[in-house]
Amino acid sequence: MLTELLLPKATSLQVERIEPTETKMVLGLLATTSTAVCPTCQTASDRPHSYYYRFPADLPFMGMPVRLQIRVRRFFCHNEGCQKQTFAEQFPALLATRARRTQRLKSTLEQIAFEVSAESGARLLAWVGIEASPDQLLGLIRATPEVAVETPRVLGVDDWAKRKGRSYGTILIDLEAHRVVDVLLERSAEAVETWLQEHPGVEIISRDRGNDYIKGITAGAPNAVQVADRWHLLSNLREAAELLLTDKPACLKAAADKPEVVQTELATTTETAGLVENAASVQAERAVEGAAPTTKAEVRKQARHARKQERFDLVRQLHDQGLSDREISRQMKMSTRTISKYLQADSCPFYPEGVRRGNSKLDAYWDYLEQRWQAGCHNATQLWREIGQKGFDGSRGLVAKWAAQERRLLPKTAKQPSPAAPRPKKVVPWSVSRTAWLLVKPEAEMDEEEQLALERVKQADDLVAQAHQFVHAFQQMVREKQPEKLESWIAAVTASGIEALSSFAHGLKQDFDAVQNALSYPWSNGQTEGQVNRLKFVKRQMFGRAKFDLLRRHVLGHPAGRSSPVFT
């Protein structure tokens, strides 16, 4: 009974003794048969020659390491034609030849090695009573043979970042079986073309709209149906909306402006009206072309604008000389996305004034600072000390910068206005990305504030209002899968004169068949993105220690069970 619990049925071994110690447990095992078979000639022998002991490691028992002490007999081989005179009996169900671990322990280590990283896997195994170093786990992964994968009928192709923004690879997914087929070291047309030529039979390929994949798939599988990913189509549409709003500062300000609130404040007191007029005159004076900057911050800002304008002009000059976007990117050391944005813009795109990017340590203290400023406390050091007592751990300079911005709105005639006089409301323009979401977000999902902001944006610019109609028409076309409307939509956008959307429509026209297939076929790169997310997780687990071959094996999963997770 004990033997059946501790050993596989096909081992032909029995437990002779159990010797527990403080650090491990030793199981003495003996063979139950009187004969053995020669592994070379398959001849049975019942004539023992000698015996020796093997001490392989086994799975732990109740957290205690287990060592087996197996009495192995050697037999004479009776076959005169066999090259072996003696041979040792084997127990393949329990132990491989010359192995120092049992088969079940090796299988457990392989599974742990594939599921977690080498370092964390070694720590986890030590916690459960198994001794294995990180190098041994990596060796098990490399020694495990790969299982040949059949060529999928429907293939998903996407890129993954080896070093984000610098180098990328390619991941290939069987969209019907929901598993990783292969991981390529490069994101290039040649790599995809070579793989497809070595694996003929792919019928449908879902991809993004990258030129490398279009060229590689067209050359490697010319008969395959290419399907553009719908998520990328909508993402490119949002990027086009952002590009449109880059040159529309009035729309950004209109999104944040609330006329009814401003009018209410202006009607409160004549003193408030004087403050507003004074602040407006200050801003108008500073907006006069050629006016000298009044602060060091304005000097630095003008210098930044001048450098950016210079780079913008140089990009346009290189493009006029016939250089490609990639060549300009290499010469200017700028991303191709920025190059494309510069070439599509009518003027150099500057960040809108007053937009805060990211969170500030002062966010939790705005109300208190506003209250103290209204009460007449305009000393930045005093304000910094007061909010410091409330938990603020930022620098005094951060508070001083805020106070300097507020002080510019004070009237020229008095350094400190009356404590009872409210200050004019500042309008901080929305960012380009936030305003672009107004154009792409379904109106049914908007709250009242967003709906009002959208109306103000459309009233501020007729082209933006027209673009909003085109955007929602395209989204409806994608969601309801109406490929018959695609050609007329492209023609209407091209004739509209909206440059940002016209450029997007031109890209759709160049990839027309794949885009139309995206509106006809059910396939997309949704589950491919899920596998890319898993690849990122695996890559971060490995702490930069392993090479590409190990990363690839991790992503493909354990061959015995093909443990790659399913994404639907």
Side-chain angles (χ1 to χ4, degrees), residues 321-337:
Q321 295 174 9
L323 274 67
S324 65
D325 291 6
R326 289 184 180 274
E327 182 61 28
I328 298 175
S329 175
R330 283 191 290 268
Q331 291 191 18
M332 299 291 296
K333 296 183 179 180
M334 300 167 62
S335 69
T336 54
R337 183 174 179 179

Side-chain angles (χ1 to χ4, degrees), residues 243-253 461 463-464:
L243 183 61
L244 171 65
L245 292 170
T246 302
D247 296 330
K248 306 290 185 182
C251 293
L252 305 182
K253 187 174 181 180
D461 194 292
L463 281 181
V464 174

Side-chain angles (χ1 to χ4, degrees), residues 120-225:
S120 58
R123 291 192 296 269
L124 175 63
L125 291 170
W127 184 71
V128 298
I130 301 177
E131 296 180 0
S133 68
D135 289 332
Q136 289 174 333
L137 295 179
L138 295 181
L140 286 173
I141 295 176
R142 283 198 168 100
T144 304
E146 292 187 25
V147 176
V149 179
E150 296 182 359
T151 301
R153 188 182 71 90
V154 184
L155 183 69
V157 181
D158 204 353
D159 57 10
W160 59 276
K162 292 183 290 184
R163 297 185 65 186
K164 188 173 182 181
R166 299 189 180 184
S167 58
Y168 290 83
T170 300
I171 188 170
L172 306 174
I173 310 297
D174 186 342
L175 297 181
E176 290 184 311
H178 306 282
R179 66 177 46 159
V180 180
V181 175
D182 207 345
V183 180
L184 308 181
L185 184 59
E186 298 178 356
R187 181 186 64 180
S188 64
E190 294 76 13
V192 175
E193 178 185 352
T194 301
W195 192 93
L196 290 173
Q197 290 175 348
E198 294 175 352
H199 301 80
V202 179
E203 299 178 8
I204 302 174
I205 302 178
S206 175
R207 56 162 175 80
D208 60 22
R209 299 175 60 222
N211 290 329
D212 290 335
Y213 290 151
I214 295 176
K215 294 178 182 178
I217 294 171
T218 303
N223 297 326
V225 176

Side-chain angles (χ1 to χ4, degrees), residues 311-350:
R311 290 170 67 85
F312 175 83
D313 295 337
L314 184 56
V315 168
R316 301 298 289 263
Q317 292 175 10
L318 294 175
H319 180 262
D320 293 340
Q321 295 174 9
L323 274 67
S324 65
D325 291 6
R326 289 184 180 274
E327 182 61 28
I328 298 175
S329 175
R330 283 191 290 268
Q331 291 191 18
M332 299 291 296
K333 296 183 179 180
M334 300 167 62
S335 69
T336 54
R337 183 174 179 179
T338 303
I339 298 297
S340 177
K341 182 176 70 174
Y342 279 10
L343 295 178
Q344 295 177 14
D346 296 330
S347 59
C348 183
F350 295 109

Side-chain angles (χ1 to χ4, degrees), residues 481-492:
K481 295 185 178 180
Q482 301 170 333
E484 67 279 358
K485 296 182 178 181
L486 178 61
E487 190 171 1
S488 60
W489 186 90
I490 293 176

